[in-house]
Amino acid sequence: MLTTCLQSIDKSNQHLNREGEDVIQGLTNEFKYLPPKYFYDDHGSNLFEQICELPEYYPTRTEALILSQYADEIAQITGGCELVELGSGSSTKTLFLLDAYQKIANRSQYIPIDVSGGILNSTVVKLQQKYPTFSIQGLIGTYEQALIKLESTPASSRMIFFLGSSMGNFNPRDCDLFLSQIAKTLQPGDYFLLGIDLQKPKEILEPAYNDSQGVTGAFNLNMLSHLNWRFQGNFDLNLFTHQAIYNQEDHQIEMYLNCQKSHWVSLDSLDLKVSFAKGESILTEISRKFDLASLQKQLEYKHLKTVKVWTDPKNWFGLILCQA
Ligand code: AVI
């Protein structure tokens, strides 16, 4: 019988951010915003898996194509090491890497980390069956919690990977802090593998975030349901609509929930009552599109040296392997 190897990361560092404080801050700001981490309750994580399959949403399959071609080369470069994945979700693309590492090492360790315990649990069960020689331990928690934990438990050699251009969901300041934290967590010689979405025309980007089946719209609105159950709220999802636009100046997709009617919303467990005006929007996500050369400079500045970069034939997506 298989037992799931899952652990919640010690929440003792949560004083850094009191539960729901970020919601209060975002909804009381002049221009309302909500942190994208609130997309990912179990339903939101499932909707995101559906987004990855959409014909308009090119990032997942483009990154998978790159990984399918170069995972063996990545494993050859790094050699056997502890594999740590931030924001692993269903780990679908990771299979290319796990296959490659299985070929070069008898026994490997894989640590998938995700905030969504439901999806992590089913992924770990599935992977333990597929890779019996791997030691797999899922960690439930945020990136910040994960990196703090990893820093205190160094491995003899490690590769942290962050795929799917999830770093694009950080604003420039948080991105900089994140890269500093990665650099601090890695020991000299350890690796960091980063998947990033590259700049491209608006005509390709906007449909990717406004799909014809409305899955991205449902994903965006689900954030309000998540806040309702998490903070005893009364958001009415019928009073908001999804919008995604490409901001060409800042090279980022911006996703909004637009309010259709003036009303009040309460989040009882946060002791919060917020008024919404008709036409007002909540910014729920930015998805930055990167320029490879400037990102490499930023990584270099953090003492993360580029070892190799792989892209697809259209140069839509990039995979950067760096070494500390
Ligand atoms: C998780 N993240 C990289 C996705 C993105 O493309 O920014 C989230 C997403 N939002 C809407 N569609 C996908």
PDB file of all heavy atoms in Angstrom, residues 23 32 46 52 72 78 86 102 172 229 263 271 280 299 308 312:
ATOM      1  N   VAL A  23      -5.065  40.759   2.017  1.00  0.00           N
ATOM      2  CA  VAL A  23      -6.389  41.015   1.433  1.00  0.00           C
ATOM      3  C   VAL A  23      -6.895  42.380   1.907  1.00  0.00           C
ATOM      4  O   VAL A  23      -7.403  43.189   1.112  1.00  0.00           O
ATOM      5  CB  VAL A  23      -7.390  39.895   1.827  1.00  0.00           C
ATOM      6  CG1 VAL A  23      -8.794  40.220   1.366  1.00  0.00           C
ATOM      7  CG2 VAL A  23      -6.937  38.559   1.270  1.00  0.00           C
ATOM      8  N   LYS A  32      -7.772  48.972  -6.140  1.00  0.00           N
ATOM      9  CA  LYS A  32      -7.882  47.682  -5.445  1.00  0.00           C
ATOM     10  C   LYS A  32      -7.088  46.592  -6.173  1.00  0.00           C
ATOM     11  O   LYS A  32      -7.053  46.560  -7.404  1.00  0.00           O
ATOM     12  CB  LYS A  32      -9.351  47.258  -5.339  1.00  0.00           C
ATOM     13  CG  LYS A  32     -10.188  48.171  -4.439  1.00  0.00           C
ATOM     14  CD  LYS A  32     -11.601  47.615  -4.301  1.00  0.00           C
ATOM     15  CE  LYS A  32     -12.448  48.357  -3.276  1.00  0.00           C
ATOM     16  NZ  LYS A  32     -12.802  49.720  -3.619  1.00  0.00           N
ATOM     17  N   ASN A  46      -7.326  23.262 -10.052  1.00  0.00           N
ATOM     18  CA  ASN A  46      -7.859  22.428 -11.141  1.00  0.00           C
ATOM     19  C   ASN A  46      -8.166  23.263 -12.368  1.00  0.00           C
ATOM     20  O   ASN A  46      -7.902  22.846 -13.502  1.00  0.00           O
ATOM     21  CB  ASN A  46      -9.119  21.681 -10.684  1.00  0.00           C
ATOM     22  CG  ASN A  46      -8.733  20.489  -9.837  1.00  0.00           C
ATOM     23  OD1 ASN A  46      -7.754  19.811 -10.151  1.00  0.00           O
ATOM     24  ND2 ASN A  46      -9.456  20.248  -8.756  1.00  0.00           N
ATOM     25  N   CYS A  52      -3.924  25.250 -18.770  1.00  0.00           N
ATOM     26  CA  CYS A  52      -2.679  24.760 -19.402  1.00  0.00           C
ATOM     27  C   CYS A  52      -2.945  23.942 -20.658  1.00  0.00           C
ATOM     28  O   CYS A  52      -2.074  23.786 -21.498  1.00  0.00           O
ATOM     29  CB  CYS A  52      -1.871  23.933 -18.397  1.00  0.00           C
ATOM     30  SG  CYS A  52      -1.271  24.951 -17.042  1.00  0.00           S
ATOM     31  N   ASP A  72      17.399  15.732 -20.872  1.00  0.00           N
ATOM     32  CA  ASP A  72      18.586  14.864 -20.724  1.00  0.00           C
ATOM     33  C   ASP A  72      19.855  15.708 -20.616  1.00  0.00           C
ATOM     34  O   ASP A  72      20.734  15.418 -19.806  1.00  0.00           O
ATOM     35  CB  ASP A  72      18.708  13.902 -21.921  1.00  0.00           C
ATOM     36  CG  ASP A  72      17.680  12.774 -21.842  1.00  0.00           C
ATOM     37  OD1 ASP A  72      17.297  12.400 -20.710  1.00  0.00           O
ATOM     38  OD2 ASP A  72      17.242  12.285 -22.896  1.00  0.00           O
ATOM     39  N   THR A  78      23.975  18.952 -14.725  1.00  0.00           N
ATOM     40  CA  THR A  78      23.951  19.084 -13.253  1.00  0.00           C
ATOM     41  C   THR A  78      24.443  17.812 -12.556  1.00  0.00           C
ATOM     42  O   THR A  78      24.908  17.882 -11.425  1.00  0.00           O
ATOM     43  CB  THR A  78      22.530  19.394 -12.732  1.00  0.00           C
ATOM     44  OG1 THR A  78      21.696  18.247 -12.965  1.00  0.00           O
ATOM     45  CG2 THR A  78      21.930  20.608 -13.408  1.00  0.00           C
ATOM     46  N   LEU A  86       9.424  24.462  -7.045  1.00  0.00           N
ATOM     47  CA  LEU A  86       8.540  25.457  -6.419  1.00  0.00           C
ATOM     48  C   LEU A  86       7.269  25.575  -7.245  1.00  0.00           C
ATOM     49  O   LEU A  86       7.338  25.704  -8.470  1.00  0.00           O
ATOM     50  CB  LEU A  86       9.236  26.820  -6.368  1.00  0.00           C
ATOM     51  CG  LEU A  86      10.529  26.907  -5.567  1.00  0.00           C
ATOM     52  CD1 LEU A  86      11.128  28.307  -5.672  1.00  0.00           C
ATOM     53  CD2 LEU A  86      10.268  26.563  -4.100  1.00  0.00           C
ATOM     54  N   GLN A 102      16.234   9.924 -13.705  1.00  0.00           N
ATOM     55  CA  GLN A 102      16.168   8.495 -13.403  1.00  0.00           C
ATOM     56  C   GLN A 102      17.243   7.743 -14.202  1.00  0.00           C
ATOM     57  O   GLN A 102      17.811   6.762 -13.735  1.00  0.00           O
ATOM     58  CB  GLN A 102      14.783   7.961 -13.768  1.00  0.00           C
ATOM     59  CG  GLN A 102      14.480   6.609 -13.161  1.00  0.00           C
ATOM     60  CD  GLN A 102      13.050   6.185 -13.445  1.00  0.00           C
ATOM     61  OE1 GLN A 102      12.507   6.475 -14.512  1.00  0.00           O
ATOM     62  NE2 GLN A 102      12.428   5.524 -12.516  1.00  0.00           N
ATOM     63  N   PRO A 172       8.166  43.701 -10.126  1.00  0.00           N
ATOM     64  CA  PRO A 172       9.631  43.767 -10.189  1.00  0.00           C
ATOM     65  C   PRO A 172      10.307  43.728  -8.815  1.00  0.00           C
ATOM     66  O   PRO A 172      11.339  43.086  -8.637  1.00  0.00           O
ATOM     67  CB  PRO A 172       9.893  45.097 -10.911  1.00  0.00           C
ATOM     68  CG  PRO A 172       8.684  45.278 -11.780  1.00  0.00           C
ATOM     69  CD  PRO A 172       7.533  44.723 -10.991  1.00  0.00           C
ATOM     70  N   TRP A 229     -15.054  31.622   1.200  1.00  0.00           N
ATOM     71  CA  TRP A 229     -14.997  30.545   2.204  1.00  0.00           C
ATOM     72  C   TRP A 229     -13.856  30.744   3.172  1.00  0.00           C
ATOM     73  O   TRP A 229     -13.947  30.409   4.342  1.00  0.00           O
ATOM     74  CB  TRP A 229     -15.054  29.145   1.611  1.00  0.00           C
ATOM     75  CG  TRP A 229     -13.880  28.597   0.841  1.00  0.00           C
ATOM     76  CD1 TRP A 229     -13.812  28.436  -0.517  1.00  0.00           C
ATOM     77  CD2 TRP A 229     -12.629  28.100   1.352  1.00  0.00           C
ATOM     78  NE1 TRP A 229     -12.597  27.901  -0.870  1.00  0.00           N
ATOM     79  CE2 TRP A 229     -11.859  27.671   0.248  1.00  0.00           C
ATOM     80  CE3 TRP A 229     -12.080  27.980   2.634  1.00  0.00           C
ATOM     81  CZ2 TRP A 229     -10.576  27.135   0.377  1.00  0.00           C
ATOM     82  CZ3 TRP A 229     -10.795  27.438   2.764  1.00  0.00           C
ATOM     83  CH2 TRP A 229     -10.060  27.026   1.646  1.00  0.00           C
ATOM     84  N   HIS A 263     -21.933  48.321  -4.860  1.00  0.00           N
ATOM     85  CA  HIS A 263     -22.420  47.508  -3.732  1.00  0.00           C
ATOM     86  C   HIS A 263     -21.329  47.412  -2.658  1.00  0.00           C
ATOM     87  O   HIS A 263     -20.207  47.877  -2.853  1.00  0.00           O
ATOM     88  CB  HIS A 263     -22.839  46.108  -4.199  1.00  0.00           C
ATOM     89  CG  HIS A 263     -21.720  45.239  -4.713  1.00  0.00           C
ATOM     90  ND1 HIS A 263     -21.032  45.493  -5.879  1.00  0.00           N
ATOM     91  CD2 HIS A 263     -21.160  44.106  -4.191  1.00  0.00           C
ATOM     92  CE1 HIS A 263     -20.113  44.569  -6.076  1.00  0.00           C
ATOM     93  NE2 HIS A 263     -20.167  43.714  -5.060  1.00  0.00           N
ATOM     94  N   ASP A 271     -13.005  41.242   9.569  1.00  0.00           N
ATOM     95  CA  ASP A 271     -13.638  42.441  10.092  1.00  0.00           C
ATOM     96  C   ASP A 271     -13.565  43.581   9.051  1.00  0.00           C
ATOM     97  O   ASP A 271     -13.241  44.718   9.376  1.00  0.00           O
ATOM     98  CB  ASP A 271     -12.875  42.863  11.363  1.00  0.00           C
ATOM     99  CG  ASP A 271     -13.841  43.377  12.408  1.00  0.00           C
ATOM    100  OD1 ASP A 271     -15.047  43.370  12.129  1.00  0.00           O
ATOM    101  OD2 ASP A 271     -13.357  43.803  13.484  1.00  0.00           O
ATOM    102  N   GLU A 280     -15.554  50.017 -11.178  1.00  0.00           N
ATOM    103  CA  GLU A 280     -14.278  49.879 -10.463  1.00  0.00           C
ATOM    104  C   GLU A 280     -13.678  48.483 -10.715  1.00  0.00           C
ATOM    105  O   GLU A 280     -14.425  47.519 -10.916  1.00  0.00           O
ATOM    106  CB  GLU A 280     -14.561  50.049  -8.964  1.00  0.00           C
ATOM    107  CG  GLU A 280     -13.324  50.268  -8.159  1.00  0.00           C
ATOM    108  CD  GLU A 280     -13.624  50.507  -6.676  1.00  0.00           C
ATOM    109  OE1 GLU A 280     -14.805  50.481  -6.253  1.00  0.00           O
ATOM    110  OE2 GLU A 280     -12.634  50.684  -5.941  1.00  0.00           O
ATOM    111  N   LEU A 299      20.046  38.135 -13.035  1.00  0.00           N
ATOM    112  CA  LEU A 299      20.473  36.905 -12.361  1.00  0.00           C
ATOM    113  C   LEU A 299      21.962  36.981 -12.014  1.00  0.00           C
ATOM    114  O   LEU A 299      22.389  36.612 -10.917  1.00  0.00           O
ATOM    115  CB  LEU A 299      20.198  35.685 -13.256  1.00  0.00           C
ATOM    116  CG  LEU A 299      18.719  35.320 -13.444  1.00  0.00           C
ATOM    117  CD1 LEU A 299      18.521  34.427 -14.659  1.00  0.00           C
ATOM    118  CD2 LEU A 299      18.173  34.623 -12.200  1.00  0.00           C
ATOM    119  N   LYS A 308      23.358  27.772 -19.303  1.00  0.00           N
ATOM    120  CA  LYS A 308      22.843  27.571 -20.663  1.00  0.00           C
ATOM    121  C   LYS A 308      21.386  28.044 -20.743  1.00  0.00           C
ATOM    122  O   LYS A 308      20.662  28.008 -19.757  1.00  0.00           O
ATOM    123  CB  LYS A 308      22.958  26.080 -21.030  1.00  0.00           C
ATOM    124  CG  LYS A 308      22.725  25.822 -22.493  1.00  0.00           C
ATOM    125  CD  LYS A 308      23.500  24.640 -23.036  1.00  0.00           C
ATOM    126  CE  LYS A 308      23.243  24.579 -24.554  1.00  0.00           C
ATOM    127  NZ  LYS A 308      23.844  23.442 -25.194  1.00  0.00           N
ATOM    128  N   ASP A 312      12.344  27.771 -27.703  1.00  0.00           N
ATOM    129  CA  ASP A 312      11.645  27.028 -28.751  1.00  0.00           C
ATOM    130  C   ASP A 312      11.932  27.732 -30.089  1.00  0.00           C
ATOM    131  O   ASP A 312      12.443  28.853 -30.095  1.00  0.00           O
ATOM    132  CB  ASP A 312      10.132  27.020 -28.446  1.00  0.00           C
ATOM    133  CG  ASP A 312       9.603  28.428 -28.322  1.00  0.00           C
ATOM    134  OD1 ASP A 312       9.930  29.094 -27.313  1.00  0.00           O
ATOM    135  OD2 ASP A 312       8.925  28.905 -29.245  1.00  0.00           O
TER     136      ASP A 312
END
